[in-house]
Amino acid sequence: MAAPAYAPDQAAEAEKGWLLLLAVLVVGTFMSVLDSSIVNVAIPRMQTALSAAPDDVEWVATGYTLALGVAVPLAGWLGERIGKAQLYIVSIIGFAVASGLCGLAWNLSSMIAFRILQAIPGGILPVVAMTLLFQIVPPAKVGTAMGIYGLGIVVAPAVGPTLGGYLVQYVDWRLIFYINVPVGLLGAVAAIVKLPRQKPVSWPSFDFWGFITIAYGLFAGLLAASEGHTWGWDGYRIRGLLVTSAISLALFVVIELEVENPLLDLRVFKRWPYVNSIILLAVVVTALFSGLYFIPQYLQNVQGLQAFDTGLVLIPSALIMVVMMPIAGRIYDAVGPRWPVAIGLGIIAYSSFLLAGLTPDTPRFDIEVWTTIRNFGTGLCMMAIMTSGISALPPRLTGAGSGMNNVVQRVSSSLAVAVFGSLNFSAAAQLWTDNSGLLSTGAQALPQVSSASAQGANGLMGMYQAMNLEVTTLTYDNGFYIVAWMCVGGAILALGLRSGKPKASAEPVHVEL
């Protein structure tokens, strides 16, 4: 149940100063989302510093992802229970403190524990920030506001590899955590000063069984996706996780349709514009994070770049999103979501087809151009998708829609990395099997192999390394090809979105915090 509306003069003040309030919200969102990508660059250095095995150190990222799946559904209930502005302040302080603890970690176990602790406020921050955005921004300015807010959602993971690469390579990997402490505390001070707060008048009961079922369902599904290539997709552990995850999520749906105060209000799915936006959001997030997964690996594993140099290659694509997000918001306000989303997804599809043609020797300038085109499309359509879906909901369902959006974002980004990682592993094994015959020696050997054999072990080693780079690149190409066709389907689906300026709301403007 929403908190009471503010007095008219308080609401007018909030409406007039929404840009400053939005800036406060962007700080927390940017910081929490940035952490999802910046840490990945430091994992090899953490492995050495914490004396961890390669398979074990992956839990620094996996543990964070799993905890996010548990934390995100709690945001709506906590916001109603203690107040959304209050929850934002507590979460940003909690994230800063947990980040400091991560920087102090003395072994792998402590690092994983602190990362799980960090994920709880990290999962809540984007949910409550988006809910607050729709409550403090005038309806006519929602598109512009979402364009600015998108700087936290979309730009943060794009600049993460560059910033993280610099800190890891030239300063200290622990600084990727310590840097959150002053930023988070300053953001908390700004939120305390600027965000208007309202004491909740209702204390909704906690949907315990709803929380248990969705928490386990997301946890099991994400764990299966993360460990499938290690445990084996056809193994009993993965099958058990997938089956129990599906059962748990089905039970969650039944429970949420019956309880008086559901953890996530599934009535949002009664509106097709919102459902359409959720599908498109999953496509765009998958495209974004699969690129953030493939391209740095290609640059480092195939072309041999260091972490910071890899980040520099990605700088133009990050900058184009900084430029595009506010512009995309204004375009949305002017023409609606249909054409920005359809065109944006078409651009992502085109650039993904280009990236599907990568070779081990592709010039870096080409990669910079292709990734910049790709992020141009992402910046054009991302916030339009999210805004169109939530704008189609009545005010009482905005919080539920915001929470579901963040669940989809988190799950899609995690599944994109996990599933495409597993596909890469499987594809590489198959490609090696298919091409292993090319390295056979003897009477039937290829002329190139015979020539390399004449040079001894060094000659064959060079051919082996060249084939390894070729096979690795082909696995990335396959991933981009899949993403490209997903975006083609998304562009067609986007033609069903609303076109034209948003209609003025008949309801009075009020602020619910």
Side-chain angles (χ1 to χ4, degrees):
M1 182 181 298
Y6 283 110
D9 57 337
Q10 198 174 8
E13 182 181 353
E15 181 174 351
K16 183 178 179 181
W18 66 268
L19 193 59
L20 183 57
L21 296 175
L22 180 61
V24 174
L25 299 178
V26 168
V27 173
T29 303
F30 185 90
M31 184 175 64
S32 64
V33 177
L34 175 69
D35 202 74
S36 299
S37 63
I38 194 174
V39 171
N40 293 335
V41 181
I43 284 180
R45 191 66 61 89
M46 286 185 201
Q47 179 183 340
T48 302
L50 302 177
S51 302
D55 291 341
D56 294 335
V57 78
E58 290 181 0
W59 279 91
V60 173
T62 302
Y64 186 85
T65 298
L66 297 178
L68 281 178
V70 176
V72 168
L74 282 174
W77 178 80
L78 288 172
E80 297 289 349
R81 196 71 184 258
I82 68 175
K84 297 178 180 64
Q86 292 92 319
L87 178 59
Y88 179 84
I89 294 168
V90 170
S91 297
I92 197 171
I93 293 173
F95 191 85
V97 172
S99 296
L101 292 174
C102 289
L104 294 172
W106 53 91
N107 58 29
L108 183 62
S109 297
S110 63
M111 172 61 76
I112 294 173
F114 292 146
R115 282 284 284 167
I116 292 174
L117 183 64
Q118 185 191 37
I120 297 173
I124 292 172
L125 275 171
V127 180
V128 70
M130 185 179 294
T131 304
L132 286 168
L133 181 151
F134 274 86
Q135 295 173 349
I136 65 177
V137 175
K141 299 293 185 181
V142 165
T144 301
M146 286 294 282
I148 298 171
Y149 177 78
L151 295 175
I153 294 290
V154 178
V155 177
V159 302
T162 305
L163 178 59
Y166 177 81
L167 295 177
V168 169
Q169 191 168 332
Y170 295 109
V171 191
D172 186 350
W173 67 267
R174 294 181 183 270
L175 198 59
I176 66 174
F177 297 113
Y178 288 141
I179 197 173
N180 290 331
V181 177
V183 174
L185 294 180
L186 288 174
V189 171
I192 292 171
V193 172
K194 298 304 300 182
L195 285 182
R197 293 180 293 282
Q198 179 75 25
K199 183 178 180 180
V201 296
S202 65
W203 291 80
S205 59
F206 181 59
D207 180 12
F208 176 78
W209 290 112
F211 172 71
I212 292 297
T213 50
I214 191 173
Y216 176 78
L218 293 177
F219 177 88
L222 290 172
L223 180 59
S226 299
E227 299 298 326
H229 66 285
T230 303
W231 295 348
W233 285 104
D234 58 347
Y236 71 92
R237 286 183 293 181
I238 297 300
R239 290 181 179 180
L241 286 170
L242 292 175
V243 170
T244 56
S245 173
I247 293 173
S248 186
L249 292 175
L251 287 173
F252 170 74
V253 173
V254 174
I255 291 169
E256 296 308 279
L257 294 176
E258 295 295 331
V259 298
E260 183 178 354
N261 295 303
L263 191 67
L264 289 176
D265 196 334
L266 300 184
R267 287 177 296 173
V268 295
F269 291 109
K270 290 183 178 180
R271 296 174 179 263
W272 169 247
Y274 180 79
V275 175
N276 195 4
S277 74
I278 282 289
I279 297 171
L280 295 174
L281 180 62
V283 171
V284 173
V285 170
T286 298
L288 174 64
F289 279 87
S290 61
L292 291 173
Y293 171 78
F294 286 135
I295 296 170
Q297 285 204 24
Y298 165 80
L299 291 171
Q300 294 183 62
N301 297 337
V302 176
Q303 297 207 339
L305 271 64
Q306 296 296 319
F308 180 57
D309 295 328
T310 296
L312 291 179
V313 173
L314 299 176
I315 276 288
S317 60
L319 292 178
I320 195 64
M321 280 203 286
V322 174
V323 175
M324 278 304 301
M325 296 307 294
I327 295 175
R330 292 182 176 274
I331 293 174
Y332 172 90
D333 287 336
V335 304
R338 178 187 299 170
W339 297 115
V341 174
I343 294 171
L345 282 166
I347 292 172
I348 299 173
Y350 169 71
S351 57
S352 297
F353 279 123
L354 292 176
L355 287 165
L358 285 172
T359 68
D361 301 318
T362 299
R364 290 170 200 167
F365 177 77
D366 290 352
I367 299 171
E368 291 175 356
V369 172
W370 296 345
T371 54
T372 299
I373 293 173
R374 200 168 192 264
N375 280 1
F376 178 88
T378 303
L380 181 62
C381 69
M382 175 70 112
M383 287 301 110
I385 292 172
M386 297 174 65
T387 308
S388 67
I390 296 181
S391 296
L393 299 174
R396 69 181 183 280
L397 293 179
T398 297
S402 172
M404 193 62 68
N405 268 4
N406 279 276
V407 170
V408 170
Q409 286 181 62
R410 297 296 187 175
V411 172
S412 297
S413 62
S414 301
L415 287 177
V417 173
V419 172
F420 280 114
S422 295
L423 288 175
N424 274 8
F425 183 83
S426 302
Q430 184 61 50
L431 286 168
W432 264 113
T433 301
D434 295 341
N435 290 289
S436 59
L438 298 177
L439 292 178
S440 61
T441 57
Q444 303 299 322
L446 294 173
Q448 298 92 329
V449 176
S450 299
S451 176
S453 300
Q455 301 174 29
N458 290 336
L460 286 175
M461 179 59 69
M463 180 165 286
Y464 170 85
Q465 290 173 341
M467 183 172 290
N468 183 49
L469 295 180
E470 188 69 34
V471 167
T472 302
T473 303
L474 284 174
T475 62
Y476 300 140
D477 292 348
N478 292 338
F480 283 120
Y481 193 71
I482 294 171
V483 168
W485 281 111
M486 288 176 59
C487 291
V488 169
I492 296 172
L493 196 60
L495 296 176
L497 294 175
R498 174 182 59 81
S499 182
K501 293 183 179 181
K503 296 179 180 179
S505 174
E507 300 181 13
V509 176
H510 61 282
V511 181
E512 299 169 343
L513 299 179

